[in-house]
Amino acid sequence: MNLLKDNIIPGNYGKVFGTNAVKEGDLLKIRNALYNMSGIKDVDINMEIFPKEFTIYTSKLVKIEDVENEVQRLGFHIIPKGQFEL
């Protein structure tokens, strides 16, 4: 287990995820589902690129596995990208 690899850490960095969702309505459904999770502070969607990306900011440690499971419940996938830049 690796703290940075397995969790989204609180702070200003956030964690970037790619998704297979394409339609704006689907992206908004995912964002709303993420907002309902405990510890999720903010969710930004980058609609300018393909595949679409979410940046998730938290107020406490949130397991990446929990985020993936919540999105899979909606029928989509979300995959974490590389480590944050310092």
Side-chain angles (χ1 to χ4, degrees):
M1 283 186 79
N2 183 334
L3 180 70
L4 296 177
K5 183 180 174 196
D6 298 335
N7 298 287
I8 306 170
I9 60 170
N12 297 329
Y13 300 109
K15 181 81 173 165
V16 178
F17 291 81
T19 184
N20 66 332
V22 177
K23 296 179 183 176
E24 185 175 351
D26 294 334
L27 295 167
L28 295 175
K29 283 181 191 176
I30 293 171
R31 183 178 71 183
N32 291 337
L34 293 173
Y35 271 130
N36 290 329
M37 292 181 65
S38 175
I40 302 290
K41 181 171 61 172
D42 195 18
V43 179
D44 291 334
I45 305 172
N46 185 349
M47 295 201 194
E48 301 297 318
I49 62 172
F50 184 84
K52 306 299 185 214
E53 289 182 347
F54 288 93
T55 304
I56 301 173
Y57 301 92
T58 62
S59 58
K60 65 178 187 178
L61 279 179
V62 175
K63 289 184 178 181
I64 289 175
E65 182 179 351
D66 293 342
V67 172
E68 291 171 333
N69 290 337
E70 183 66 22
V71 174
Q72 285 178 356
R73 190 179 62 78
L74 298 172
F76 299 101
H77 295 283
I78 193 166
I79 300 170
K81 293 203 137 185
Q83 301 292 336
F84 58 87
E85 296 181 23
L86 296 177

